[in-house]
């Protein structure tokens, strides 16, 4: 599908699930960009909840959403693909509907809405990766996953920009944002379901026997991924915190760093993933840890420069951190899909998403706890933990031959089809 020197857009879209699915991803991400950055404001401004109560309700909702992942994994292992993706979008429609129905001061409805939003946000990555792994294989699959991430980040950015404009409307504007988000999720779910991708196990063993076989444990990879996932919150949490409290920078700087991060992911995710295909996925994932750790040490050095040179130095090092994030995102899920046997792919991806979700859930608390103790405590700890994780990834030996960049069109134990009937999975 793609080479180091050229990427064919049509082939990339086809390997990612087709044009309708690509549109579904873009619409879904656009809706997420409209609401997710301002969910805290919705709770505070529209429902008149206090900041601690709103934040706690959101955190509880996100963490509770992880509980659904084992069930999602088993659903995927029964062959469902586009139906699970659509369901992850529909459950968020319910979450937004509860937001709009919640009266002022009603924290439990807000928490329930956050729970449904959390379930959808946690279920979607595993369902999407399983769908792409069913229609694309080998390095084509890796590039398709990277392309979807670039498309999603672009749509998220556009949604956030549109939402910023709508915020001038106050509480009415926030309610309008929520309503448009629900419509976007609904449209995206319909488009995703219409793709009708379903994987059919080819083994003769009954489904209950396949369900009883455990997914690969991948304990070292999952533990390392918890630490790796911290990098996803560095532009949103760690850098704004450091720039504002330690370097006393203007709010323009954190915003510029975040915009640069999004732009780099959109433009470089696919080319970097294709470039890294020269190496094994495990090597690339270990390399991403080294790059991330180097960026953390760079932040430590930059903050030591003080207010003057420290601010632009942090912004410059953030580019290195984003490159590490791009390498990580292009190799981590791809490695899981390569390691897992086809008939337990769903459960393997669900476990991986659990580790990612846990890392994203605890990283704000860890970062905000370490930051007051100084740059060395924050960046030194992150660098040491990430290097340790990279070492664990690099030294773990893979079982079997599933890490090969080339796979047969029919993956062992699974084949994909697009049914001509009603598409029910």
């Amino acid at each position: 599908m793609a080479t180091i020197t050229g990427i064919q857009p049509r082939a990339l879209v086809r390997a990612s699930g087709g044009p309708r699915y690509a549109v579904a991803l873009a619409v879904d991400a656009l809706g997420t960009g409209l609401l997710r950055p301002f969910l805290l404001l919705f709770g505070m401004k529209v429902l008149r909840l206090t900041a601690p109560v709103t934040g706690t309700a959101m955190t509880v909702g996100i963490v509770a959403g992880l509980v659904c992942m084992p069930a999602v994994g088993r659903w995927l292992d029964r062959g469902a693909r586009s139906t699970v993706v659509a369901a992850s979008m529909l459950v968020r429609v319910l979450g937004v509907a509860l937001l709009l129905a919640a009266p002022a001061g009603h924290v439990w409805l807000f928490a329930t809405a956050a729970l449904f939003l959390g379930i959808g946000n946690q279920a979607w990555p595993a369902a999407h990766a399983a769908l792409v792994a069913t229609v694309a294989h080998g390095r084509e699959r890796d590039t398709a996953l990277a392309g979807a991430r670039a498309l999603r980040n672009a749509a998220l950015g556009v949604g956030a920009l549109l939402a910023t404009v709508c915020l001038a409307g106050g509480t009415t504007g926030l309610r309008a944002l929520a309503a448009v988000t629900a419509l976007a999720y609904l449209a995206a779910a319909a488009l995703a379901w219409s793709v009708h991708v379903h994987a059919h196990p080819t083994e003769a063993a009954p489904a209950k026997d396949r369900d009883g076989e455990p997914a690969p444990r991948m304990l070292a990879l999952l533990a390392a991924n918890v630490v790796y996932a911290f990098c996803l919150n560095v532009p949103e949490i760690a850098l704004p915190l450091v720039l504002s409290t330690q370097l006393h920078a203007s709010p323009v700087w954190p915003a510029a760093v975040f915009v640069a991060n999004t732009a780099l992911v959109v433009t470089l995710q696919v080319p970097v993933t294709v470039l890294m295909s020269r190496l094994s996925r495990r090597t690339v994932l270990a390399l991403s840890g080294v790059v991330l750790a180097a960026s953390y040490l760079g932040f430590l050095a930059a903050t030591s420069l003080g207010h003057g040179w420290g601010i632009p130095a942090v912004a410059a090092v953030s580019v290195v951190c984003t490159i590490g994030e791009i390498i990580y995102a292009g190799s981590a899920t791809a490695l899981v899909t390569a390691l897992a046997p086809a008939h337990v792919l769903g459960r393997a991806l669900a476990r991986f998403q659990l580790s990612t979700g846990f890392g994203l859930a605890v990283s704000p608390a860890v970062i905000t706890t370490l930051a007051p103790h100084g740059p060395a405590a924050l960046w030194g700890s992150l660098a040491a933990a990430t290097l340790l994780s990279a070492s664990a990834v690099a030294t773990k030996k893979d079982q079997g031959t599933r890490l090969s960049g080339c796979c047969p069109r029919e993956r062992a134990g699974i084949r994909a089809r697009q049914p001509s009937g009603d598409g029910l999975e």
Side-chain angles (χ1 to χ4, degrees):
M1 180 203 70
T3 65
I4 299 300
T5 57
I7 300 169
Q8 302 173 15
R10 289 185 180 180
L12 181 61
V13 170
R14 185 171 60 252
S16 302
R20 274 182 298 170
Y21 187 67
V23 174
L25 294 185
V27 173
D28 176 73
L30 183 68
T32 301
L34 285 172
L35 181 63
R36 192 170 71 180
F38 308 105
L39 185 57
L40 181 70
L41 287 179
F42 191 97
M44 294 172 59
K45 302 294 185 181
V46 178
L47 302 184
R48 299 189 180 92
L49 303 173
T50 64
V53 168
T54 306
T56 301
M58 290 174 60
T59 300
V60 170
I62 293 170
V63 173
L66 291 171
V67 177
C68 76
M69 291 312 301
V72 170
R74 290 188 176 276
W75 191 8
L76 290 170
D77 285 339
R78 290 187 174 93
R81 292 293 186 266
S82 53
T83 295
V84 187
V85 175
S88 72
M89 297 170 176
L90 282 175
V91 75
R92 284 180 284 178
V93 175
L94 180 57
V96 178
L98 288 174
L99 278 182
L100 292 172
H106 205 299
V107 65
W108 290 111
L109 266 183
F110 179 79
T112 305
L115 170 62
F116 284 117
L117 290 170
I119 290 173
N121 290 334
Q122 299 297 342
W124 180 86
H128 164 70
L131 186 148
V132 173
T134 304
V135 300
H137 310 280
R139 295 297 181 174
E140 180 184 65
R141 175 194 59 224
D142 300 8
T143 309
L145 289 169
R149 183 170 191 259
L151 173 64
R152 186 168 176 80
N153 273 267
L156 282 169
V158 172
L161 286 174
L162 292 174
T164 302
V165 174
C166 293
L167 283 179
T171 58
T172 302
L174 284 169
R175 287 191 176 276
L177 282 175
V180 173
T181 298
L183 292 175
Y185 286 154
L186 190 61
L191 285 168
W193 180 83
S194 72
V195 174
H196 296 325
V197 174
H198 189 100
H200 292 271
T202 59
E203 294 90 356
K208 65 178 182 178
D209 292 341
R210 291 193 304 270
D211 286 345
E213 182 176 342
R217 299 180 71 184
M218 303 183 296
L219 293 181
L221 176 60
L222 296 179
N225 187 57
V226 172
V227 178
Y228 271 99
F230 275 52
C231 75
L232 302 175
N233 271 336
V234 166
E236 296 186 32
I237 296 174
L239 293 186
L241 183 64
V242 168
L243 286 169
S244 61
T245 63
Q246 296 180 5
L247 297 178
H248 308 291
S250 163
V252 173
W253 283 100
V257 167
F258 183 79
V259 170
N261 173 270
T262 302
L264 288 171
V265 170
V266 171
T267 56
L268 296 182
Q269 185 66 69
V270 172
V272 169
T273 300
V274 173
L275 181 64
M276 291 290 108
S277 65
R278 298 175 182 268
L279 305 173
S280 74
R281 297 178 181 91
R282 187 174 290 278
T283 299
V284 175
L285 183 56
L287 175 63
S288 71
V290 174
V291 175
L292 287 170
S295 73
Y296 297 153
L297 294 177
F299 287 131
L300 176 59
T303 52
S304 68
L305 298 177
H307 175 78
W309 290 101
I311 297 172
V314 166
V317 175
S318 71
V319 175
V320 179
C321 185
T322 299
I323 297 299
E325 174 192 334
I326 289 170
I327 300 173
Y328 157 68
S331 58
T333 303
L335 178 59
V336 174
T337 60
L339 285 173
H343 56 284
V344 290
L345 175 64
R347 277 168 282 174
L349 288 170
R351 289 182 178 182
F352 180 75
Q353 180 57 31
L354 274 171
S355 69
T356 303
F358 181 75
L360 290 174
V362 302
S363 57
V366 173
I367 289 170
T368 53
T369 298
L370 291 174
H373 296 284
L378 174 60
W379 301 117
S381 298
L382 289 180
T386 306
L387 279 177
L388 183 63
S389 299
S391 176
V393 169
T395 56
K396 179 67 175 177
K397 299 298 182 182
D398 297 315
Q399 301 297 321
T401 60
R402 291 187 57 78
L403 280 179
S404 169
C406 298
C407 299
R409 196 64 191 169
E410 295 242 332
R411 297 180 62 196
I414 224 165
R415 60 186 175 86
R417 75 174 178 92
Q418 295 184 358
S420 56
D422 61 7
L424 292 174
E425 299 175 326

